[in-house]
Amino acid sequence: MNRRQLLKLMGFSGAVVAVSGCGGAFGGGSAGGEGSVKVGLLIPQSGVYSPLGEDMRRGWDLWLEQNGGTFGEYEVDTVVADEGEGPQTGVAAARRLLNEERCDVIVGIVNSAVALGIVDMVNEAQKLLLVANAGAGDITAGQVSPYIWRTSFTNAQVARAMGAHMATLDLSGGVYVVAPDYAAGEEAVDGFTAAFTDAGGTVAGQSMPPFGTTQDYQPVLSRIRNSGAEATYSFFAGSEAVTFVQQYNEFGLADEVPLYGSGFLTEGQVLSAQGQAAVDVRTALHYSTELDSEANSTFVEAYEGAYSAAPTVYAVQTYDAAAVLDQALRGADALDGDAISEELSGLDVLASPRGEWRFDGQSPHQEMYLRTVESVDGSLVNAVTDSLGEFGQSS
Amino acid sequence: MPSILASNLTSLLNGLSIGFLLFTLAVGLTLVFGMMDVLNLAHGAIYLAGAYIGWYVMGADPTWTVFLAALGVAAVVGLLAGGALSLLVQPLASRPHLDQALLTLGVALILAELLSMAFGDDVRSVSPPSALAGSVDVAGGSYPIYRLFLIGVGLALAVVVYLVVERTTVGALIRATVADRDMVSAVGVDNRKVRIAVFGAGVALATVAGVFGAPVYGARPGLDWTILILALVVVVVGGLGSIKGALVGALLIGQVETFGRSLFPEFASFVLFGALALVLIARPRGLFGAPTGVKV
Amino acid sequence: MNAHATVAPTVESAGAATPRGRRDIVRVVLLVTLVLCLVGLPLVADPFATTTATRVLAFALLAVSLDLLVGVTGLPSLGHAAYFGVGAYTAGWLSIHIGIDGPVALLAATLAGASVAAATGWLAVRSGGIFFLMLTLAIGEVLHQVAHSWRSVTGGSDGMYGVPATTVGGVDLANPGFLYWYVLGAFGVGYLLIRMVVRSSFGAALRGIHDNEPRMRALGYPVFGYKLAAFVIAGAGAGLAGGLLVAQQRIVTPDDLGFTTGALVLLAVVIGGAGTLWGACIGAAVVVLVRDYFGPALDGHGPLLLGIVFVIVVYVMPRGVAGVAGIRGKERAA
């Protein structure tokens, strides 16, 4: 038996199981049948990232609800899978969505390692992956895959916006840079430092405490105090953001050395956990609930009406992922990765609650905002204090 | 440079405060192991339950009364949960240590999942009682008052545990049980009641530690593993089953976690387990471990 | 255990060829059926099931190698995933940067697992019981941190991604069915080698250490050397399993050698019944199925299911799946 025959045999018997077991067709066809598109929503439902997953799911559901549950002519059939905390669960879940559920498109992903870990799988399946959060530059850089697009940000993009801004402030004592010691932290530090020093800023010192195992930032805070820095730039998210901002305040630095950061530092539920300790923290991000635009106020109102909670950047990114897919599927003649990618590359400017943005390569080119945490009627918000200009993945 | 000296002083002080916090959260683990021969891997999840109780009861700007109420609720819940856990472990008494440890690991997974269902996956932060909120100036920088309070709590707890174990009849029974379990039951003491009581006390210490620790570590999914690992390192460094060892181990690890990290920032991620490995290489049973080993 | 101990001599002493012969025939038929099922699986299963089975095999070999420590020698390790990760990183790095053939990468992964186990094992095997558990946890966590921090080689927290599809003699095995057979073949070799070790006189000495270490020492056995050798062989098996994992997964992340993986594989060994190698394989299958197959579809309640499985197994199956099947101890009794 030669290889071709063997392959055919496998394909054939595999198809037998697929038809009898799952009711789908084998191979390139759509699982949802004529007129429907099956989307795998890969979001964390367990573990430390699950609050982000919840926001993403809400953004996705809200768009579908507002738009009759269809992308173009296609009925949308959403299958949710749990990304968990990392590739061990996330890659397996993606495989389930692609091979078992036979989804046409994968949307979501919080953890960059999951996105990077399924590049080959996506390429081989020739399906579209629309990343709605994960920020590693490599996901959409250097043409790793024609099928992977992103509606969120890159870690360096957000950090560069802040670096360029802080270089314009009068900080002669320099800026202290702190981020957790992992890939995203390093990208943020590199992006910030490059933009900041290119524009004439001075770095007073840098710390990268261990990621995920640091409960106490006092050693770092002591070093910031001793460095003589006039401001701190930080990149933290989730529980680390809460701990860092609170301790920054408890150890008395908040009054002496103003705290700046990438927007995840004070985004969403993290901000309410930080409480008053977060007031006056300044961050850069491509969204805030406080953006003054009609698109945003309509969105915020609808979101709060549906979920009794304020939206977050994670919800907007996934909301936009649905909007982008809708645009693409209006023109696409098939549901494979090539057809949808072709449509995506032809898209013009997209309207969104975050403001207008477009694809720069396969990642957004978008406006960045300077946000300052303020207490409004007893609740904390990221007030928009300035625009920092438009940034893409590479420029 | 005086500011360097000052920041080292702050690190030392902070190490002391973290050390006493570690002692409160590790002492229950070592007590249960010393008395019951059970390595309770659900200790971290139980701590987290205590932290959530603290968050739930205390709310924003808690008063002393509310703080004490949270401690009381946590203690009661802990006693009941500990009693239940001791009944769960009872049938496995004759089985290898590993089986009992794995049972508690399973309980830990289930409990953590139940907590996530009950309290959500958001990060919860807890304010200290308002009298202890804020910071004071120490060695040229501000230092949170609550952390100074934790030093007092840890000291008081150490004294209480010492007095109970060394000076009371209950303590005598505990020491006798550690020394020779069969003999104690042979002279007519109901071993089961002692088991349930000690298990209850050990677990209650974990939930109470959760309330004390909440203003520092907060409450969130995943904290259970962080705390379990820290507590395990502390009691293994000190010598499993030894209360004195838990205290010394906690103070040592407290310094390692703060002073060590500030002296060697580039090796920060290695200091904790590096210290554990060093201690075990030098003293394979920990600093105050019993010379005769227990077989798994 | 008792029932078995009394039954076995009866069968032996009866000396009757018929029952013994019949039992052998049953065993052979069972074995052949099992092998046929394993080999034939990709012909009937869809690609996703085939891929899951491939992961089960890699994880099963890891569990088997750990069982050599836990069940046979009596050394419960929480850090065994470290050598699994070392093997996976080694094979992944060589495939990316040198592009070597699959079997060579597996060999390198095996050697790497053994070398790192030798370098760290001499520390661990001096202790026993809970302290061994903690020391292996510490070693595992230190290696986990190395994987996190040594970004130029491992890729840090994003993992080592972009591992090319395994090639054998220049032909690539991108098809899940071919890859499954390749992994099955390597698993078979690894399994049989470890089984040989267990059944040798060396294996008997390890069981002696498990049952009564002071006695073995008194009899003049170099206990430290034996334990270290067992640790190194287990490390080699874990390294090979890591090489198989990366062949399937094509990404390695620090999580693959972390505490969770170490705890899960220990669970697999206990579910299966410590001391029986095939039981460890079943345990691994249960764990991988719960985590990878059912877990993602449970709305985030995968860990709950795992916890319940844990508790049930400890209570209901004191000697694991093998104990329930009632043929545990074949390896031990032999």
Side-chain angles (χ1 to χ4, degrees), chain B residues 26-269:
Chain B
V27 64
L29 183 65
T30 208
L31 186 71
V32 170
F33 186 83
M35 280 293 297
M36 307 285 101
D37 259 7
V38 176
L39 186 65
N40 179 14
L41 295 179
H43 195 78
I46 292 164
Y47 168 93
L48 183 58
Y52 275 119
I53 291 174
W55 171 77
Y56 189 78
V57 175
M58 282 156 73
D61 287 328
T63 58
W64 273 112
T65 327
V66 176
F67 186 57
L68 292 176
L71 287 173
V73 172
V76 171
V77 171
L79 280 172
L80 294 176
L85 196 57
S86 111
L87 294 178
L88 277 176
V89 175
Q90 183 73 42
L92 306 181
S94 59
R95 301 252 297 272
H97 275 117
L98 188 60
D99 285 15
Q100 306 184 12
L102 284 176
L103 173 73
T104 58
L105 191 57
V107 170
L109 283 171
I110 296 173
L111 180 56
E113 198 57 29
L114 294 177
L115 288 173
S116 139
M117 287 180 198
F119 296 102
D121 288 333
D122 288 338
V123 181
R124 307 295 187 188
S125 62
V126 181
S127 318
S130 31
L132 299 174
S135 308
V136 286
D137 274 357
V138 174
S142 341
Y143 194 81
I145 300 172
Y146 187 76
R147 292 191 178 210
L148 295 173
F149 168 71
L150 283 180
I151 298 181
V153 170
L155 268 177
L157 186 66
V159 170
V160 168
V161 172
Y162 172 81
L163 288 179
V164 167
V165 173
E166 297 293 329
R167 297 288 153 86
T168 62
T169 24
V170 178
L173 196 60
I174 291 178
R175 278 176 288 141
T177 311
V178 173
D180 192 337
R181 183 158 310 138
D182 297 332
M183 179 59 78
V184 171
S185 54
V187 298
V189 177
D190 187 347
N191 222 329
R192 277 188 49 168
K193 275 186 193 149
V194 177
R195 280 187 73 96
I196 295 177
V198 171
F199 233 112
V203 168
L205 280 169
T207 48
V208 166
V211 176
F212 278 123
V216 177
Y217 293 146
R220 60 180 165 82
L223 184 64
D224 46 341
W225 295 115
T226 309
I227 296 295
L228 174 66
I229 299 262
L230 278 174
L232 279 175
V233 170
V234 163
V235 299
V236 169
V237 162
L240 269 165
S242 158
I243 306 278
K244 185 169 51 168
L247 181 60
V248 174
L251 294 180
L252 184 71
I253 294 300
Q255 291 303 337
V256 163
E257 280 281 87
T258 56
F259 212 54
R261 281 179 183 227
S262 82
L263 283 183
F264 313 106
E266 60 274 38
F267 298 109
S269 41

Side-chain angles (χ1 to χ4, degrees), chain A residues 45-48 50-51 210 213-216 218-219 222-223 225-226 238-239 242 246-247 249-252 269 273-274, chain B residues 3-4 7 10-11 14 18 121-125 135 141-144 147 217 220-221 226 230 258 261-262 265 268-269:
Chain A
Q45 295 175 295
S46 65
V48 295
S50 51
T213 60
T214 305
Q215 276 79 48
D216 192 21
Q218 177 267 329
S222 284
R223 254 175 281 140
R225 176 170 278 136
N226 292 335
S239 68
V242 176
Q246 285 192 328
Q247 294 183 356
N249 186 50
E250 283 175 352
F251 282 90
Q269 192 271 328
Q274 287 159 343
Chain B
S3 69
I4 298 282
S7 82
T10 316
S11 289
N14 196 46
I18 297 291
D121 288 333
D122 288 338
V123 181
R124 307 295 187 188
S125 62
S135 308
S142 341
Y143 194 81
R147 292 191 178 210
Y217 293 146
R220 60 180 165 82
T226 309
L230 278 174
T258 56
R261 281 179 183 227
S262 82
S269 41

